[in-house]
Amino acid sequence: MTARHSHTAALPAGPREPPILQTLRWLLRPISFLESSRRRFGDTFSVRFLGLQKPMVMLSDPDAIRDLFGNPEHGVASIRTLALLPILGPRSLLLLEGRDHLNRRRLMLPSFHGARMRAYESTVREVVARDVQSWPQREPFSIHARMQRVTLEVILRAVFGVTDPERRTRLTDRLGRLLAETASAGLQFAVLLSRRFGTPDPLTRLQGLRREIDAMLHLEIAERRADPREDILSMLVAARFEGGEPMDDGEIRDQLMTLLLAGHETTATALAWTFDLLVRHPAVLTRLVAEVDAGEQAYARAVVSESLRLRPVVPLAGRRLASPLRVDGHVLPPGTDVTPAIWLAHTRADRYHEPFAFRPERFLDGPLLTSAWIPFGGGVRRCIGAAFAEMEMRVALAEILRHRTLRSASGDAEHVARRNVTWSPAGGTPVIAEVRHL
Ligand code: HEM
């Protein structure tokens, strides 16, 4: 037995296919890959993905997940760096570790505080209301594509603070292209292949586009330094580290791209999944419309929580262990990459009655503050945009359902496809909308 094999023997068992096959199964049929691994190996198993030096351990037991997220010393799992570094830059909050990470996080958190979110509700309402006006009537269209436009515009307004319509159109076009270019499973596979075999990096051809976007962002940063406003960029410009110094322009650019990438596609996709579930569950949809009409928010909140449970948009939130982690009879050594398999954690029969049923009522007493509900990850790396995303989803749902009735335009529920690091509805969630006459 080689040294490499004796090292990996300490890790939990897992699928034995070659890494290239495991990677393809993960990218193309993630739920069946996870379910079959759960059936064969239980709560904890090791997977091998292309481009990763070592196996990655997947967990789904809530106590193990709590222990993993509870230790702030752990680093970022290499799969995150592999997928995001080429697009985000090394100073992105998503990729920094240790003190550097915590310092930035402290600086950025106040801009995303729950109470501040109320200020952005009217922006979301305005953007959605205007977009809905141009929706096709009585013919199928992709609600995912519409939600992508909406969430991009919300970020450009609330986070970047771009008010000039001409600039917003240009930035929307360039960012849309960059995001579309970097989204496909095919490109991800090509990037992993290039990392593994040293073939040309498929992302280099995007450099011109990146430079153009950077120039536009630097202009916005300079303007906000001279003339601060209500947006999150103005707050980032004004924020100071403990020593009193500000973030420099290059870093602010990295954080803006991080907020864009982490906040735009994720929220659009979560909304698309929510509509896919709603149009297939008429009783839930009817109750939601009634509650929205009555000005109630509790049921909409529960719908959002349940949708994020059943369709977790970000499937992994990995850590690189800084100290040993005990789980399922194993002691995982420092340096091991470990991640909750969020789908598996969310569909445990011991935590959720009828775990595969879409039943928002289970969240009516508020979100579950447990490690069995982790759509936003946890611990010191938990999503800083969680309150923003939940607000945006709730406000968008209400605004849309006030103006349109919706039904599904396809027979089958959506399959999962990969876009960037997210799980996305493969068919773009086609729906048919009609104007509501109130
Ligand atoms: C439904 C929408 C969203 C989902 C499902 C989601 C999910 C996640 C997850 C799973 C993580 C990793 C957490 C971990 O490793 O423990 C994360 C991190 C992050 N998210 Fe979100 N997110 C969403 C929306 C947003 C929005 C709207 C923003 C900002 C505008 C945002 C900004 C971030 C940032 C900056 C991080 C890095 C935090 C850190 O490393 O300290 N996200 N998100």
Side-chain angles (χ1 to χ4, degrees), residues 69 76 80 92-96 101 105 108 112 155 159 232 255 258-271 308 312-319 342 374-386 388-390 392-393:
F69 283 160
V76 176
R80 180 179 297 184
S92 158
L93 186 69
L94 270 160
L95 300 175
L96 287 170
H101 169 256
R105 196 171 156 96
M108 293 171 73
F112 289 92
I155 295 243
V159 178
I232 288 176
Q255 307 306 3
T258 300
L259 296 174
L260 173 82
L261 194 94
H264 148 69
E265 184 77 31
T266 43
T267 313
T269 304
L271 276 164
L308 288 169
V313 171
V314 179
L316 306 177
R319 303 288 185 266
I342 297 179
I374 47 164
F376 296 109
V380 294
R381 304 208 75 106
R382 186 174 190 268
C383 176
I384 63 169
F388 192 103
E390 287 175 308
E392 184 171 359
M393 289 178 71

Side-chain angles (χ1 to χ4, degrees), residues 291 295-303 363-364 394:
E291 305 252 346
E296 294 291 333
Q297 300 199 347
Y299 197 66
R301 282 181 204 277
V303 165
F363 285 101
L364 270 180
R394 189 168 30 81

